[in-house]
Amino acid sequence: MVSYADPGPVEAVGPVEWVESGGGPLIAVPEVVLPFWTGADGDELASDYDRACEVDGFAGLLPVGNTAALVLGDDPAATAYLPEHRTFVRWFAGDSESELLARVPAALDTAAWGSEVHWRVPGPVVLFDAAWPGEESTNAGRLRIALEPGRYAVRAAHAEPGPETWIGLVQLTPLGE
């Protein structure tokens, strides 16, 4: 896991943990089904990683075990989860972490959101490189996100909240049962 903490006004909330990919998509897999995610391994014609690479756009769902995982597609950008915004933030371009994080609220307000999908989450999820098998996701390069069980609306957007700041946003909004 990478931390890009740098001095600045956002530092007061603590360092933000970023997950990076080796070149493919990142995936958020519910902890209860981590053993079912085989990543790029497997004897099948299309691996789980291949399935994740086929997801179009910024975000999509893939079946894993008896639930679904959230694929963060389109770009292998460093990604963090900001619980105060219930949002995965993807760092496409920006001079510093503090500048990028300071622009997130404006980006959330002005983003042109794509279509929404609904994701049923059985509890905490683990964000990691989709190429890794789920059982190996406990190694460095992963982030555990303590989501409450339930249904979430998931929407995604690309935003340019500053002249040199480009970010991806994948926001989770709890839905009533």
Side-chain angles (χ1 to χ4, degrees):
M1 187 160 10
V2 178
S3 177
Y4 294 104
D6 59 0
V10 179
E11 192 67 26
V13 299
V16 173
E17 297 181 53
W18 297 86
V19 174
E20 294 183 334
S21 161
L26 294 173
I27 190 162
V29 178
E31 273 185 331
V32 297
V33 294
L34 277 174
F36 296 106
W37 183 260
T38 61
D41 293 346
D43 298 327
E44 311 216 3
L45 295 175
S47 68
D48 283 343
Y49 175 74
D50 293 330
R51 293 187 313 129
C53 288
E54 291 175 4
V55 170
D56 282 333
F58 298 119
L61 300 176
L62 278 182
V64 178
N66 62 352
T67 187
L70 178 65
V71 177
L72 304 181
D74 192 54
D75 191 295
T79 301
Y81 183 75
L82 303 181
E84 66 274 21
H85 299 292
R86 289 190 205 100
T87 301
F88 291 97
V89 175
R90 316 209 57 217
W91 188 338
F92 297 142
D95 290 332
S96 71
E97 178 185 52
S98 59
E99 178 185 332
L100 182 128
L101 293 174
R103 295 184 183 270
V104 167
L108 289 167
D109 288 341
T110 61
W113 297 99
S115 59
E116 185 177 283
V117 296
H118 291 179
W119 184 27
R120 182 171 295 282
V121 177
V125 300
V126 179
L127 178 70
F128 59 97
D129 186 328
W132 288 100
E135 292 178 322
E136 292 180 26
S137 71
T138 57
N139 300 336
R142 65 127 186 172
L143 178 63
R144 183 180 188 270
I145 300 158
L147 294 180
E148 291 295 320
R151 285 183 40 220
Y152 291 82
V154 179
R155 63 183 187 163
H158 178 271
E160 297 182 16
E164 299 295 324
T165 304
W166 303 339
I167 58 179
L169 302 165
V170 179
Q171 189 172 53
L172 310 177
T173 303
L175 297 171
E177 290 298 320

